[in-house]
Coordinates of all heavy atoms in Angstrom, one line a residue:
M1 N -52.5 183.8 125.7 CA -52.5 185.3 125.9 C -53.6 185.7 126.8 O -54.7 185.3 126.6 CB -52.5 186.1 124.6 CG -52.6 187.5 124.7 SD -52.8 188.3 123.1 CE -51.5 189.6 123.3
I2 N -53.3 186.4 127.9 CA -54.3 186.9 128.9 C -54.6 188.3 128.5 O -53.8 189.2 128.4 CB -53.9 186.9 130.2 CG1 -53.5 185.4 130.6 CG2 -54.9 187.4 131.2 CD1 -52.9 185.2 132.0
S3 N -55.9 188.5 128.2 CA -56.3 189.9 127.9 C -57.2 190.4 129.1 O -57.8 189.6 129.9 CB -57.1 190.0 126.7 OG -58.2 189.3 126.8
G4 N -57.4 191.7 129.3 CA -58.1 192.3 130.4 C -57.3 192.7 131.6 O -56.1 192.7 131.5
P5 N -58.0 192.8 132.8 CA -57.3 193.2 133.9 C -56.3 192.3 134.5 O -56.4 191.0 134.2 CB -58.4 193.5 135.0 CG -59.5 192.7 134.5 CD -59.4 192.6 133.0
E6 N -55.3 192.7 135.1 CA -54.3 191.8 135.8 C -54.9 190.9 136.7 O -55.7 191.3 137.6 CB -53.2 192.7 136.5 CG -52.1 192.0 137.1 CD -51.2 191.3 136.1 OE1 -51.0 191.8 135.0 OE2 -50.6 190.2 136.4
R7 N -54.5 189.6 136.7 CA -55.2 188.6 137.6 C -54.5 188.6 138.9 O -55.2 188.2 139.9 CB -55.1 187.3 136.9 CG -56.1 187.1 135.8 CD -55.9 185.7 135.1 NE -56.8 185.6 134.0 CZ -57.9 184.9 133.9 NH1 -58.1 184.1 134.9 NH2 -58.6 184.9 132.8
R8 N -53.2 188.9 139.1 CA -52.6 188.9 140.3 C -52.5 190.3 140.9 O -52.3 191.3 140.3 CB -51.2 188.4 140.2 CG -51.1 186.9 139.7 CD -49.7 186.5 139.8 NE -49.7 185.1 139.3 CZ -48.7 184.2 139.4 NH1 -47.6 184.7 140.0 NH2 -48.8 183.1 139.0
R9 N -52.8 190.3 142.2 CA -52.7 191.6 143.0 C -51.2 191.9 143.4 O -50.5 190.9 143.7 CB -53.5 191.6 144.2 CG -55.0 191.7 143.9 CD -55.8 191.7 145.2 NE -56.0 190.2 145.6 CZ -56.5 189.9 146.6 NH1 -57.1 190.7 147.5 NH2 -56.6 188.6 147.0
A10 N -50.9 193.1 143.4 CA -49.5 193.5 143.9 C -49.7 194.0 145.3 O -50.5 194.9 145.6 CB -49.0 194.7 143.0
W11 N -49.0 193.3 146.2 CA -49.1 193.7 147.6 C -47.9 194.5 148.0 O -46.8 194.3 147.7 CB -49.1 192.4 148.5 CG -50.3 191.6 148.3 CD1 -50.5 190.6 147.4 CD2 -51.6 191.7 148.9 NE1 -51.8 190.1 147.5 CE2 -52.4 190.7 148.4 CE3 -52.0 192.6 150.0 CZ2 -53.8 190.6 148.9 CZ3 -53.3 192.3 150.5 CH2 -54.2 191.4 150.0
T12 N -48.1 195.6 148.7 CA -47.1 196.5 149.1 C -46.3 195.8 150.3 O -47.0 195.0 151.0 CB -47.5 197.9 149.5 OG1 -48.4 197.8 150.6 CG2 -48.3 198.5 148.3
A13 N -45.2 196.3 150.6 CA -44.5 195.7 151.8 C -45.3 196.0 153.2 O -45.3 195.2 154.0 CB -43.2 196.3 151.9
E14 N -45.9 197.1 153.1 CA -46.7 197.5 154.3 C -48.0 196.6 154.5 O -48.2 196.2 155.5 CB -47.2 199.0 154.2 CG -46.0 200.0 154.3 CD -45.3 200.2 153.0 OE1 -45.8 199.9 151.9 OE2 -44.1 200.6 153.1
Q15 N -48.6 196.3 153.4 CA -49.7 195.4 153.4 C -49.3 193.9 153.9 O -50.0 193.4 154.7 CB -50.5 195.3 152.1 CG -51.1 196.5 151.7 CD -51.6 196.5 150.2 OE1 -50.9 196.0 149.4 NE2 -52.8 197.1 150.0
K16 N -48.2 193.5 153.3 CA -47.8 192.1 153.8 C -47.3 192.1 155.2 O -47.7 191.1 155.9 CB -46.5 191.8 152.8 CG -46.8 191.5 151.5 CD -45.5 191.2 150.8 CE -45.6 190.9 149.3 NZ -44.3 190.6 148.7
E17 N -46.7 193.2 155.6 CA -46.2 193.3 157.1 C -47.5 193.3 158.0 O -47.5 192.6 159.0 CB -45.4 194.5 157.3 CG -44.9 194.6 158.7 CD -44.0 195.8 158.9 OE1 -43.8 196.6 157.9 OE2 -43.7 196.1 160.1
A18 N -48.5 194.1 157.6 CA -49.7 194.1 158.5 C -50.3 192.7 158.5 O -50.8 192.3 159.7 CB -50.7 195.1 157.9
L19 N -50.5 192.0 157.5 CA -51.1 190.6 157.5 C -50.2 189.6 158.3 O -50.7 188.9 159.1 CB -51.3 190.1 156.1 CG -52.4 190.8 155.3 CD1 -52.4 190.4 154.0 CD2 -53.9 190.6 156.1
V20 N -48.9 189.7 158.2 CA -48.0 188.9 158.9 C -48.1 189.1 160.3 O -48.1 188.3 161.1 CB -46.6 189.0 158.3 CG1 -45.6 188.2 159.3 CG2 -46.4 188.4 156.9
L21 N -48.1 190.4 160.7 CA -48.2 190.8 162.1 C -49.5 190.3 162.7 O -49.5 189.8 163.8 CB -48.0 192.3 162.3 CG -46.5 192.8 162.2 CD1 -46.5 194.3 162.2 CD2 -45.7 192.3 163.2
A22 N -50.5 190.5 162.0 CA -51.9 190.1 162.4 C -51.8 188.5 162.6 O -52.4 188.0 163.6 CB -53.0 190.4 161.5
A23 N -51.1 187.8 161.7 CA -51.1 186.4 161.8 C -50.2 185.9 163.0 O -50.4 184.7 163.5 CB -50.6 185.7 160.6
C24 N -49.3 186.7 163.4 CA -48.4 186.3 164.5 C -48.9 186.7 165.8 O -48.2 186.4 166.9 CB -47.0 187.0 164.2 SG -46.1 186.2 162.9
A25 N -50.0 187.4 165.9 CA -50.7 187.8 167.1 C -51.1 186.6 168.0 O -51.5 185.6 167.4 CB -51.8 188.7 166.9
P26 N -51.0 186.7 169.3 CA -51.5 185.5 170.2 C -52.9 185.2 169.9 O -53.7 186.1 169.8 CB -51.2 186.1 171.5 CG -50.2 187.1 171.4 CD -50.5 187.8 170.1
G27 N -53.2 184.0 169.6 CA -54.5 183.4 169.4 C -55.0 183.7 167.9 O -56.2 183.4 167.7
A28 N -54.2 184.2 167.1 CA -54.6 184.5 165.7 C -54.7 183.2 164.9 O -53.9 182.3 165.1 CB -53.5 185.5 165.0
V29 N -55.6 183.2 164.0 CA -55.9 182.0 163.1 C -55.6 182.6 161.6 O -56.3 183.5 161.2 CB -57.3 181.5 163.2 CG1 -57.5 180.4 162.2 CG2 -57.6 181.1 164.7
V30 N -54.6 182.0 161.1 CA -54.1 182.4 159.8 C -55.3 182.4 158.8 O -55.5 183.3 158.0 CB -53.0 181.7 159.3 CG1 -52.5 182.0 157.9 CG2 -51.7 182.0 160.2
A31 N -56.0 181.4 158.9 CA -57.2 181.1 157.9 C -58.2 182.3 158.0 O -58.7 182.7 157.0 CB -57.8 179.7 158.1
D32 N -58.5 182.7 159.2 CA -59.4 183.8 159.4 C -58.9 185.1 158.8 O -59.5 185.9 158.1 CB -59.8 184.0 160.9 CG -60.5 182.8 161.4 OD1 -61.1 182.1 160.6 OD2 -60.5 182.6 162.7
I33 N -57.6 185.4 159.1 CA -56.9 186.6 158.6 C -56.9 186.6 157.0 O -57.1 187.5 156.4 CB -55.5 186.8 159.2 CG1 -55.7 186.9 160.7 CG2 -54.7 187.9 158.6 CD1 -54.4 186.8 161.5
A34 N -56.6 185.3 156.5 CA -56.5 185.3 155.1 C -57.8 185.5 154.4 O -57.9 186.1 153.4 CB -56.0 183.9 154.7
R35 N -58.9 184.9 155.0 CA -60.2 185.0 154.5 C -60.6 186.5 154.5 O -61.3 187.0 153.5 CB -61.2 184.2 155.4 CG -62.6 184.1 154.7 CD -63.5 183.2 155.5 NE -62.8 181.9 155.8 CZ -62.6 181.3 157.0 NH1 -62.7 182.0 158.1 NH2 -62.0 180.2 157.1
A36 N -60.3 187.3 155.6 CA -60.6 188.6 155.6 C -60.0 189.5 154.6 O -60.5 190.4 154.1 CB -60.3 189.2 157.1
A37 N -58.7 189.1 154.3 CA -58.0 189.9 153.2 C -58.1 189.3 151.8 O -57.5 189.8 150.9 CB -56.4 189.7 153.7
D38 N -58.9 188.2 151.6 CA -59.2 187.6 150.4 C -58.0 187.1 149.8 O -57.7 187.3 148.6 CB -60.0 188.5 149.5 CG -60.6 187.9 148.3 OD1 -60.9 186.7 148.4 OD2 -60.7 188.4 147.3
V39 N -57.1 186.4 150.6 CA -55.9 185.7 150.1 C -55.9 184.3 150.5 O -56.7 183.9 151.5 CB -54.7 186.4 150.5 CG1 -54.5 187.8 150.0 CG2 -54.5 186.4 152.0
H40 N -55.1 183.5 149.9 CA -55.0 182.0 150.4 C -54.1 182.0 151.6 O -53.1 182.8 151.7 CB -54.4 181.2 149.2 CG -54.6 179.7 149.5 ND1 -53.8 179.0 150.4 CD2 -55.4 178.9 149.0 CE1 -54.1 177.8 150.4 NE2 -55.2 177.7 149.6
P41 N -54.4 181.3 152.6 CA -53.5 181.1 153.8 C -52.1 180.8 153.6 O -51.1 181.3 154.1 CB -54.2 180.1 154.7 CG -55.6 180.0 154.3 CD -55.6 180.3 152.7
R42 N -51.8 180.1 152.4 CA -50.5 179.6 152.1 C -49.6 180.9 151.8 O -48.5 180.9 152.1 CB -50.6 178.7 150.9 CG -49.2 178.1 150.6 CD -49.4 177.1 149.5 NE -50.4 176.1 149.8 CZ -51.2 175.6 148.7 NH1 -51.1 176.0 147.6 NH2 -52.2 174.7 149.1
L43 N -50.3 182.0 151.2 CA -49.5 183.1 150.9 C -49.1 183.9 152.2 O -47.9 184.3 152.3 CB -50.4 184.1 150.1 CG -49.7 185.3 149.5 CD1 -48.6 185.0 148.6 CD2 -50.8 186.2 148.7
I44 N -49.9 184.0 153.2 CA -49.5 184.6 154.4 C -48.4 183.7 155.2 O -47.4 184.2 155.7 CB -50.7 184.7 155.5 CG1 -51.7 185.7 154.8 CG2 -50.3 185.2 156.8 CD1 -53.0 185.9 155.6
H45 N -48.5 182.4 155.0 CA -47.4 181.6 155.6 C -46.1 181.7 154.8 O -45.1 181.8 155.4 CB -47.8 180.1 155.5 CG -48.8 179.6 156.5 ND1 -48.6 179.5 157.8 CD2 -50.0 179.3 156.4 CE1 -49.6 179.1 158.5 NE2 -50.5 179.0 157.6
R46 N -46.2 182.0 153.5 CA -45.0 182.2 152.8 C -44.4 183.6 153.2 O -43.2 183.7 153.4 CB -45.2 182.2 151.2 CG -44.0 182.5 150.4 CD -44.2 182.8 148.9 NE -45.2 181.9 148.4 CZ -45.8 182.1 147.2 NH1 -45.6 183.2 146.6 NH2 -46.6 181.3 146.7
W47 N -45.1 184.5 153.3 CA -44.7 185.8 153.7 C -44.1 185.8 155.1 O -43.1 186.4 155.3 CB -45.8 187.0 153.6 CG -46.4 187.2 152.3 CD1 -45.7 187.0 151.1 CD2 -47.6 187.9 152.0 NE1 -46.5 187.6 150.1 CE2 -47.6 188.0 150.6 CE3 -48.6 188.3 152.8 CZ2 -48.7 188.6 150.0 CZ3 -49.7 188.9 152.1 CH2 -49.7 189.0 150.8
R48 N -44.7 185.1 156.0 CA -44.1 185.0 157.3 C -42.8 184.2 157.4 O -41.8 184.6 158.0 CB -45.1 184.2 158.2 CG -44.8 184.1 159.6 CD -45.8 183.7 160.5 NE -46.2 182.5 160.2 CZ -47.4 181.8 160.8 NH1 -48.0 182.4 161.7 NH2 -47.7 180.6 160.4
R49 N -42.7 183.2 156.5 CA -41.4 182.5 156.3 C -40.3 183.4 155.8 O -39.1 183.4 156.3 CB -41.7 181.3 155.5 CG -40.5 180.3 155.4 CD -40.7 179.0 154.7 NE -41.4 179.2 153.4 CZ -42.7 178.9 153.1 NH1 -43.5 178.4 154.1 NH2 -43.2 179.1 151.9
E50 N -40.7 184.2 154.8 CA -39.7 185.1 154.2 C -39.3 186.1 155.2 O -38.0 186.4 155.3 CB -40.3 185.9 153.0 CG -40.4 184.9 151.9 CD -41.3 185.6 150.7 OE1 -41.8 186.7 150.9 OE2 -41.6 184.9 149.7
V51 N -40.1 186.7 156.0 CA -39.7 187.6 157.0 C -38.9 186.9 158.1 O -37.8 187.5 158.5 CB -41.0 188.2 157.8 CG1 -40.5 189.0 159.0 CG2 -41.7 189.1 156.8
T52 N -39.2 185.7 158.5 CA -38.3 185.0 159.5 C -37.0 184.7 158.9 O -35.9 184.8 159.6 CB -39.1 183.7 159.9 OG1 -40.3 183.9 160.4 CG2 -38.2 182.9 160.8
Q53 N -36.8 184.3 157.7 CA -35.5 184.1 157.0 C -34.7 185.3 156.9 O -33.5 185.3 157.1 CB -35.7 183.4 155.7 CG -36.2 182.0 155.7 CD -36.6 181.4 154.4 OE1 -36.6 182.1 153.4 NE2 -36.8 180.1 154.4
R54 N -35.4 186.4 156.6 CA -34.7 187.7 156.5 C -34.2 188.2 157.8 O -33.1 188.7 158.0 CB -35.6 188.7 155.7 CG -34.9 190.0 155.3 CD -35.7 190.9 154.5 NE -37.0 191.3 155.1 CZ -38.3 191.0 154.6 NH1 -38.4 190.2 153.6 NH2 -39.3 191.3 155.4
V55 N -35.1 188.2 158.7 CA -34.9 188.9 160.1 C -34.2 187.8 161.0 O -33.5 188.1 161.9 CB -36.2 189.4 160.7 CG1 -36.0 190.0 162.1 CG2 -36.8 190.5 159.8
G56 N -34.6 186.6 160.9 CA -34.1 185.5 161.9 C -35.1 185.3 162.9 O -35.9 186.1 163.3
P57 N -35.2 184.2 163.5 CA -36.1 183.8 164.5 C -36.1 184.8 165.7 O -37.1 184.9 166.3 CB -35.8 182.4 164.9 CG -34.6 181.9 164.2 CD -34.3 183.1 163.3
S58 N -34.9 185.2 166.1 CA -34.9 186.1 167.2 C -35.6 187.5 167.0 O -36.1 188.1 168.0 CB -33.4 186.4 167.7 OG -32.7 187.2 166.7
G59 N -35.8 187.9 165.8 CA -36.5 189.0 165.4 C -38.0 188.9 165.7 O -38.7 190.0 165.7
S60 N -38.5 187.7 165.7 CA -39.9 187.5 165.8 C -40.3 187.4 167.3 O -41.5 187.1 167.6 CB -40.3 186.3 165.2 OG -39.7 185.1 165.7
G61 N -39.4 187.7 168.3 CA -39.7 187.6 169.7 C -39.5 186.3 170.3 O -39.7 186.0 171.4
T62 N -39.0 185.3 169.5 CA -38.7 184.0 170.0 C -37.3 183.8 170.2 O -36.4 184.1 169.3 CB -39.2 182.9 168.9 OG1 -40.4 183.0 168.6 CG2 -38.9 181.5 169.4
N63 N -36.9 183.3 171.4 CA -35.5 183.2 171.8 C -35.3 181.9 172.5 O -36.2 181.3 173.0 CB -35.0 184.3 172.8 CG -35.0 185.7 172.2 OD1 -34.6 185.8 171.0 ND2 -35.5 186.6 173.0
F64 N -34.1 181.4 172.4 CA -33.8 180.2 173.1 C -33.5 180.4 174.6 O -33.0 181.5 174.9 CB -32.5 179.4 172.5 CG -32.8 178.8 171.1 CD1 -32.4 179.4 170.0 CD2 -33.4 177.6 171.1 CE1 -32.5 178.9 168.9 CE2 -33.7 177.1 169.9 CZ -33.3 177.6 168.8
V65 N -33.9 179.6 175.4 CA -33.7 179.7 176.8 C -32.9 178.5 177.3 O -33.1 177.4 176.9 CB -35.0 179.8 177.6 CG1 -35.8 181.1 177.3 CG2 -35.9 178.7 177.5
P66 N -32.1 178.7 178.4 CA -31.4 177.6 178.9 C -32.2 176.7 179.6 O -33.2 177.0 180.2 CB -30.3 178.3 179.9 CG -30.9 179.6 180.3 CD -31.9 180.0 179.0
V67 N -31.9 175.4 179.5 CA -32.6 174.3 180.3 C -31.8 173.8 181.4 O -30.6 173.6 181.3 CB -32.9 173.0 179.3 CG1 -33.5 172.0 180.0 CG2 -33.7 173.6 178.1
V68 N -32.4 173.8 182.6 CA -31.7 173.2 183.8 C -32.1 171.9 184.1 O -33.3 171.6 184.2 CB -32.0 174.2 185.0 CG1 -31.2 173.8 186.2 CG2 -31.6 175.6 184.6
M69 N -31.2 171.0 184.1 CA -31.5 169.6 184.3 C -31.1 169.2 185.8 O -30.3 169.7 186.4 CB -30.6 168.6 183.4 CG -30.7 168.9 181.9 SD -32.4 168.4 181.3 CE -32.3 166.7 181.4
K70 N -32.0 168.4 186.4 CA -31.9 168.0 187.8 C -30.7 167.0 187.8 O -30.6 166.3 186.8 CB -33.1 167.4 188.4 CG -34.2 168.4 188.6 CD -35.4 167.7 189.2 CE -36.4 168.7 189.5 NZ -37.5 168.1 190.2
D71 N -30.0 166.8 188.9 CA -29.0 165.9 189.0 C -29.6 164.5 189.2 O -30.7 164.3 189.3 CB -28.0 166.2 190.2 CG -28.7 166.2 191.5 OD1 -30.0 166.3 191.5 OD2 -28.1 166.1 192.5
D72 N -28.7 163.5 189.0 CA -29.2 162.1 188.9 C -29.7 161.6 190.4 O -30.5 160.7 190.4 CB -28.0 161.1 188.6 CG -27.7 161.3 187.1 OD1 -28.5 161.7 186.3 OD2 -26.5 160.9 186.7
A73 N -29.3 162.4 191.4 CA -29.7 162.0 192.7 C -31.4 162.1 192.8 O -32.0 161.4 193.5 CB -29.2 162.9 193.8
S74 N -31.9 163.1 192.0 CA -33.4 163.2 192.1 C -34.1 162.1 191.4 O -35.2 162.0 191.6 CB -33.7 164.7 191.5 OG -33.4 164.7 190.1
A75 N -33.4 161.4 190.5 CA -34.1 160.3 189.8 C -34.3 159.2 190.7 O -35.2 158.3 190.5 CB -33.2 159.8 188.7
K76 N -33.7 159.0 191.9 CA -34.0 158.0 192.8 C -35.4 158.0 193.4 O -36.0 157.1 193.7 CB -33.0 158.0 194.0 CG -31.6 157.7 193.6 CD -30.7 157.8 194.7 CE -29.1 157.8 194.3 NZ -28.3 158.1 195.5
D77 N -35.8 159.3 193.4 CA -37.3 159.5 193.9 C -38.4 159.2 192.9 O -39.5 159.1 193.3 CB -37.4 160.9 194.4 CG -36.5 161.2 195.6 OD1 -36.1 160.3 196.2 OD2 -36.2 162.4 195.6
C78 N -38.0 159.0 191.7 CA -39.0 158.8 190.6 C -39.4 157.4 190.8 O -38.8 156.3 190.9 CB -38.3 159.0 189.2 SG -39.4 158.5 187.8
R79 N -40.8 157.2 190.7 CA -41.4 155.9 191.0 C -41.1 155.0 189.6 O -41.2 153.7 189.8 CB -42.9 156.0 191.2 CG -43.7 156.5 190.0 CD -45.2 156.6 190.5 NE -45.9 157.1 189.4 CZ -46.9 156.3 188.7 NH1 -47.1 155.2 189.2 NH2 -47.6 156.8 187.8
W80 N -40.7 155.6 188.6 CA -40.5 154.8 187.4 C -39.0 154.1 187.4 O -38.8 153.4 186.5 CB -40.7 155.5 186.1 CG -42.2 156.0 186.0 CD1 -42.7 157.1 186.3 CD2 -43.3 155.2 185.7 NE1 -44.0 157.1 186.2 CE2 -44.5 155.9 185.8 CE3 -43.4 153.8 185.3 CZ2 -45.7 155.4 185.5 CZ3 -44.7 153.3 185.0 CH2 -45.8 154.1 185.1
S81 N -38.2 154.6 188.3 CA -36.9 154.1 188.4 C -36.8 152.9 189.2 O -35.6 152.3 189.5 CB -35.9 155.1 188.8 OG -36.2 155.6 190.0
S82 N -37.9 152.4 189.9 CA -37.7 151.2 190.8 C -37.6 150.0 190.1 O -38.0 150.0 188.9 CB -39.1 151.3 191.7 OG -40.1 150.9 190.9
P83 N -37.1 149.0 190.7 CA -36.9 147.7 190.0 C -38.2 147.1 189.4 O -38.2 146.4 188.5 CB -36.3 146.8 191.1 CG -35.7 147.8 192.2 CD -36.5 148.9 192.1
S84 N -39.3 147.3 190.1 CA -40.5 146.7 189.6 C -40.9 147.3 188.3 O -41.7 146.7 187.6 CB -41.7 146.9 190.6 OG -42.0 148.2 190.8
H85 N -40.5 148.5 187.9 CA -40.7 149.1 186.6 C -39.6 149.1 185.6 O -39.7 149.8 184.7 CB -41.2 150.6 186.9 CG -42.4 150.8 187.7 ND1 -42.4 150.9 189.0 CD2 -43.7 150.7 187.3 CE1 -43.7 151.0 189.4 NE2 -44.5 150.9 188.3
A86 N -38.6 148.3 185.9 CA -37.4 148.3 185.1 C -37.6 147.8 183.8 O -37.1 148.2 182.8 CB -36.4 147.4 185.8
R87 N -38.6 146.9 183.5 CA -39.0 146.4 182.1 C -40.0 147.3 181.4 O -40.2 147.2 180.2 CB -39.4 145.0 182.3 CG -38.3 144.2 182.7 CD -38.7 142.7 182.5 NE -37.7 141.8 182.9 CZ -37.6 141.1 184.0 NH1 -38.6 141.0 184.8 NH2 -36.6 140.3 184.3
R88 N -40.6 148.2 182.2 CA -41.6 149.1 181.5 C -41.0 150.4 181.3 O -40.4 151.0 182.1 CB -43.0 149.1 182.4 CG -43.7 147.9 182.4 CD -45.0 148.1 183.2 NE -44.7 147.5 184.5 CZ -45.4 147.7 185.6 NH1 -46.4 148.5 185.4 NH2 -45.3 147.2 186.7
P89 N -41.3 151.0 180.0 CA -40.8 152.3 179.8 C -41.6 153.4 180.6 O -42.7 153.2 181.0 CB -41.1 152.5 178.3 CG -42.1 151.6 178.0 CD -42.0 150.4 179.0
C90 N -40.9 154.4 180.9 CA -41.5 155.5 181.6 C -42.6 156.2 180.6 O -42.3 156.3 179.4 CB -40.4 156.6 181.8 SG -41.0 158.0 182.8
P91 N -43.7 156.5 181.1 CA -44.8 157.1 180.2 C -44.2 158.3 179.4 O -43.6 159.2 180.0 CB -45.9 157.4 181.1 CG -45.7 156.7 182.4 CD -44.2 156.5 182.5
G92 N -44.5 158.3 178.2 CA -44.0 159.4 177.3 C -42.6 159.3 176.9 O -42.1 160.2 176.2
H93 N -41.8 158.4 177.3 CA -40.5 158.2 176.9 C -40.2 156.8 176.3 O -40.5 155.8 176.8 CB -39.5 158.3 178.1 CG -39.6 159.6 178.7 ND1 -40.5 159.9 179.8 CD2 -38.9 160.8 178.6 CE1 -40.2 161.1 180.1 NE2 -39.4 161.6 179.4
A94 N -39.8 156.9 175.0 CA -39.5 155.6 174.3 C -38.1 155.1 174.7 O -37.3 156.0 174.9 CB -39.6 155.9 172.8
R95 N -37.9 153.8 174.6 CA -36.6 153.3 175.0 C -35.8 153.2 173.8 O -36.2 152.9 172.7 CB -36.7 152.0 175.7 CG -37.0 152.2 177.1 CD -36.9 150.9 177.8 NE -37.4 151.0 179.1 CZ -36.9 150.3 180.1 NH1 -36.1 149.5 180.0 NH2 -37.4 150.6 181.4

């Protein structure tokens, strides 16, 4: 039995939203924001995940963009496609 004051704080939706928005700002460090609010960083990550699941990734300003691939003719100019490099993988690409 726990007696005395409540050990857990109740956060309003507005307080959670303010911390999540601060954590999503460019260059923001969640640990710094959590320290200033006297909460564990994991709690801010959980709130951010809940908002993302509820709103969806597009609501956070992140969208998919189309990728344009060059045609195979441009690969002829790649120095890694020459016969002398046929046995070596291209840097950054696993075979």
Side-chain angles (χ1 to χ4, degrees):
M1 174 184 230
I2 299 174
S3 61
E6 181 67 31
R7 290 181 180 243
R8 293 186 183 195
R9 288 180 277 180
W11 294 90
T12 66
E14 292 80 19
Q15 291 171 321
K16 291 179 182 181
E17 182 180 355
L19 289 172
V20 168
L21 286 174
C24 292
V29 178
V30 173
D32 294 340
I33 294 164
R35 192 175 306 114
D38 195 29
V39 298
H40 197 279
R42 191 175 305 144
L43 188 57
I44 295 177
H45 285 290
R46 181 190 315 160
W47 292 340
R48 186 169 56 185
R49 187 173 51 250
E50 289 171 357
V51 168
T52 303
Q53 288 172 349
R54 187 173 61 242
V55 176
S58 61
S60 63
T62 304
N63 293 316
F64 288 103
V65 294
V67 175
V68 178
M69 303 294 290
K70 291 184 177 180
D71 62 341
D72 290 338
S74 64
K76 293 176 187 172
D77 299 331
C78 177
R79 67 185 183 111
W80 296 103
S81 63
S82 68
S84 63
H85 293 94
R87 292 193 177 106
R88 288 187 258 164
C90 187
H93 296 88
R95 285 189 182 207

